[in-house]
Amino acid sequence: MINMKRILFICSLLICSSITKAETSALETFDANLYGWLEFVKNDGSAIIKDGVMKLEGKVDLSSFFTPSSNIITSCYAPINPRENFIYKCDAIAKRINDAGYFGLIFDYMDDYNYSVFFIGKGDKNAEVIYNRVVDGELVGMRSADLKLKQKRKAEFHFEIRALHDKVVFNCNEMQVMEIRYCPIRCSGIGFCVRGKQSVDFDNVVFIQ
């Protein structure tokens, strides 16, 4: 990510903060590890901060989407109150959208067995978003929706998760993709995930409350 782009991004965030003084904002650009993101390198994948981005890579063949053992997860605790409304934004660049793997944004993360996630992967038509809610290691909620992409190689994304009371809205590239109702959030843990063979760079994480 070039420095000028980062400067403009920070300036726009400051302007938005000054306009909406009732809100507080926090920014993670991965020039450092401000919020204690988990970093690791293993045989099946890695999550490391390098060159100003969080890089996630999964190396395990995906025999089925329902193979959570292949998850590569990094997480942190956001400076938000999960019982109040909040917005969680980030940018991402995926190496390629295909059948080999998925990647996703995690929220309400307590541990690897209790969380909610919006996955992005190849769909029947173009691409798709899959919502999963996991409790005690069991899948207790799932929904899917189509997602139209202009390109599948080095695909760029701007994601936004809005938590509004017991409702969660997922936006991708300025378009609403999915709305989940009756989705109470218990924890401020958020993160990123790769399932199967996929490589994604995440950057410009913003928390607004």
Side-chain angles (χ1 to χ4, degrees):
M1 303 291 176
I2 61 175
N3 290 333
M4 183 56 69
K5 179 182 177 182
R6 192 179 304 280
I7 291 170
L8 292 173
F9 178 80
I10 294 172
C11 289
S12 64
L13 180 64
L14 291 173
I15 292 171
C16 290
S17 298
S18 65
I19 293 173
T20 56
K21 291 183 179 180
E23 297 178 342
T24 59
S25 301
L27 172 66
E28 172 72 272
T29 61
F30 296 110
D31 292 315
N33 190 348
L34 294 178
Y35 298 108
W37 294 82
L38 178 65
E39 296 183 78
F40 58 87
V41 177
K42 303 189 295 184
N43 290 334
D44 57 349
S46 60
I48 58 173
I49 295 174
K50 184 178 179 180
D51 299 327
V53 298
M54 170 62 82
K55 294 179 175 287
L56 260 68
E57 182 178 11
K59 300 178 180 179
V60 176
D61 289 327
L62 186 68
S63 57
S64 166
F65 174 77
F66 299 99
T67 311
S69 60
S70 67
N71 281 352
I72 299 297
I73 294 176
T74 182
S75 63
C76 77
Y77 289 98
I80 57 173
N81 181 347
R83 293 176 176 81
E84 296 181 2
N85 296 346
F86 67 87
I87 301 172
Y88 158 33
K89 301 180 181 183
C90 77
D91 296 330
I93 300 178
K95 183 176 181 180
R96 185 176 181 181
I97 305 299
N98 55 27
D99 293 325
Y102 290 77
F103 73 97
L105 271 68
I106 293 174
F107 62 101
D108 195 23
Y109 177 87
M110 299 178 69
D111 53 41
D112 287 358
Y113 304 96
N114 295 273
Y115 61 89
S116 294
V117 57
F118 289 105
F119 280 109
I120 294 87
K122 184 178 180 296
D124 294 332
K125 298 178 181 178
N126 188 304
E128 66 178 347
V129 173
I130 300 175
Y131 164 76
N132 281 183
R133 184 173 180 83
V134 178
V135 176
D136 294 333
E138 299 292 331
L139 181 63
V140 299
M142 178 176 177
R143 282 185 59 186
S144 63
D146 291 333
L147 179 65
K148 292 183 179 180
L149 299 179
K150 294 181 179 179
Q151 62 186 51
K152 294 187 178 181
R153 290 179 181 271
K154 293 186 177 180
E156 298 184 6
F157 299 90
H158 176 68
F159 296 118
E160 181 181 88
I161 292 176
R162 288 179 171 264
L164 305 169
H165 306 295
D166 285 344
K167 178 175 70 175
V168 174
V169 176
F170 179 67
N171 297 326
C172 177
N173 297 338
E174 312 301 334
M175 297 289 292
Q176 182 173 319
V177 180
M178 191 179 296
E179 179 180 300
I180 307 296
R181 294 180 178 271
Y182 311 111
C183 183
I185 296 178
R186 305 155 294 172
C187 184
S188 66
I190 62 99
F192 307 128
C193 177
V194 165
R195 179 175 293 184
K197 285 187 176 180
Q198 180 58 282
S199 178
V200 187
D201 293 347
F202 295 93
D203 199 4
N204 298 329
V205 181
V206 180
F207 309 107
I208 302 173
Q209 189 164 63

